[in-house]
Amino acid sequence: MSFALSVRTAALPAAVLAALALPAAPAHAAAVSVTATVETAPVSHSGDAADDPAIWVHPTDPAKSVVVATDKKGALEVYDMTGARIQRITGDYGNNVDLRGNIVVSADDEAADGNGAMHIYRIDPATRRLTWLKDVPTEVTAHGICLYTSPASGKLYAFPNSTSGRVEQWELAVNGDAVTATSVRLWDAGSAVEGCYADETTGKLYLGEEDVGVWVYGAEPTAGTSRTKLDSTGSGGHITADTEGITAAGNRIYVSSQGSNDFTVYDRTTRAYLGRFSVSNGTAADDCEDTDGIDATAANLGPAFPQGVFICQDGSNGAPGTSGNQNFKFVPLQRITAQFG
């Protein structure tokens, strides 16, 4: 709706003129600052190599939980909760990784077939090590990925997506070491996408269009392609491109606002924007900058993280003025929730 307002400005006092002026677009509020207590061993490749973490919660001993993370130049890494590497799987060029239960899937757009592939693994609770099960070629040159267990059917789904903007939904059935994969939905989200999060509590898929913002779709295979926007880049939005990692824990959603070196926070139920935080230099670990992937959980992960953890990829690892191979930082989740409820 538009309308015209005609006034004789010379006859109006300055206070009235000020009241008639349209408000300026709000600037981003300053980020609150938190620090990490743990950082992982650096990935083995230099340059832009580390990308995305996924948290696996041990079913009987929370302190034995692990973080599976990508070195997209040629390895999948497994770290314990002290940040020590306990496994490296070479030959996996996965850009993103996600997991549900004991199933881990990486999205590898460097796969030899040219279309990218999902590498599917199982994690053994006794050893905390991954075993490869199957490679599944995709139609979208898989770059980003997130997993979803349907609360309606109990079926496991994967959402590989691409820098072309294409998104695919696969049903994965794992029986022992046998994997059956069936493509059930394929659509175009627009421009380059990568970060995504599928939320079992709401049945929604959050998809990051890097230069645009975060879209909300239905996560069930019958949901179609209708969508709403969580938040956007540019004027009126709170994200500074690129829109990167997306995750949720407790009653909060978190998004990596890569261009501003911080993270936006939303209410998981209402999707209202609540503010932003940065991970700054601390005594135990340096900051997270230029972050790609993130993950979080509110689950107990043992004495070091009894109320959960937030994990961010650090695109510029090292103390100020230095730089080393990239790695991942672990922040006790309560340091963040204390700021946002």
Side-chain angles (χ1 to χ4, degrees):
M1 178 178 69
S2 63
F3 61 91
L5 176 64
S6 177
V7 294
R8 301 171 71 89
T9 57
L12 292 175
V16 175
L17 291 175
L20 287 172
L22 293 175
H28 288 180
V32 300
S33 177
V34 299
T35 56
T37 57
V38 169
E39 60 180 314
T40 67
V43 298
S44 57
H45 294 93
S46 61
D48 185 20
D51 198 289
D52 191 42
I55 303 163
W56 176 77
V57 181
H58 194 281
T60 60
D61 188 346
K64 291 184 178 178
S65 300
V66 300
V67 176
V68 183
T70 61
D71 174 350
K72 59 194 175 188
K73 291 190 175 182
L76 196 62
E77 310 270 13
V78 182
Y79 303 99
D80 67 18
M81 298 313 298
T82 72
R85 183 185 296 106
I86 60 176
Q87 186 181 15
R88 175 187 287 128
I89 300 171
T90 59
D92 186 319
Y93 292 82
N95 187 75
N96 277 191
V97 65
D98 202 8
L99 57 84
R100 287 294 185 275
N102 293 343
I103 303 302
V104 180
V105 183
S106 69
D108 184 351
D109 55 9
E110 300 290 331
D113 66 0
N115 288 326
M118 295 184 292
H119 302 307
I120 302 174
Y121 303 86
R122 181 197 308 282
I123 188 166
D124 182 351
T127 64
R128 301 184 294 169
R129 297 176 67 85
L130 273 60
T131 299
W132 173 84
L133 299 180
K134 187 172 184 175
D135 292 342
V136 177
T138 71
E139 295 294 328
V140 299
T141 314
H143 186 70
I145 198 162
C146 51
L147 301 189
Y148 172 71
T149 302
S150 168
S153 66
K155 293 180 178 179
L156 176 64
Y157 295 97
F159 292 92
N161 58 69
S162 171
T163 54
S164 71
R166 300 184 80 198
V167 186
E168 192 170 16
Q169 182 172 4
W170 285 80
E171 179 184 328
L172 302 178
V174 182
N175 184 9
D177 290 342
V179 178
T180 302
T182 306
S183 180
V184 295
R185 188 164 46 147
L186 178 66
W187 74 95
D188 192 336
S191 59
V193 293
E194 179 182 352
C196 65
Y197 176 76
D199 191 347
E200 284 87 359
T201 66
T202 62
K204 299 299 183 182
L205 169 69
Y206 295 86
L207 181 68
E209 191 175 0
E210 291 188 350
D211 292 332
V212 177
V214 178
W215 296 103
V216 186
Y217 294 83
E220 294 294 328
T222 56
T225 58
S226 62
R227 64 185 185 179
T228 58
K229 188 172 284 185
L230 174 72
D231 204 347
S232 61
T233 62
S235 177
H238 303 96
I239 302 169
T240 303
D242 287 352
T243 304
E244 288 288 345
I246 307 170
T247 190
N251 58 355
R252 299 292 179 251
I253 299 168
Y254 304 102
V255 176
S256 172
S257 176
Q258 189 178 58
S260 53
N261 292 318
D262 58 11
F263 310 93
T264 51
V265 185
Y266 310 85
D267 186 279
R268 197 169 181 174
T269 302
T270 66
R271 302 179 200 155
Y273 171 73
L274 301 177
R276 61 199 316 114
F277 69 94
S278 62
V279 176
S280 302
N281 290 306
T283 57
D286 63 296
D287 59 0
C288 274
E289 298 178 303
D290 196 31
T291 295
D292 284 312
I294 59 176
D295 200 10
T297 180
N300 172 18
L301 299 179
F305 302 99
Q307 298 178 53
V309 69
F310 174 89
I311 299 179
C312 50
Q313 179 260 5
D314 183 6
S316 182
N317 182 36
T322 67
S323 182
N325 287 5
Q326 297 174 344
N327 68 352
F328 301 86
K329 305 301 196 299
F330 298 3
V331 180
L333 190 63
Q334 68 269 23
R335 294 189 175 186
I336 300 167
T337 57
Q339 305 287 340
F340 299 99

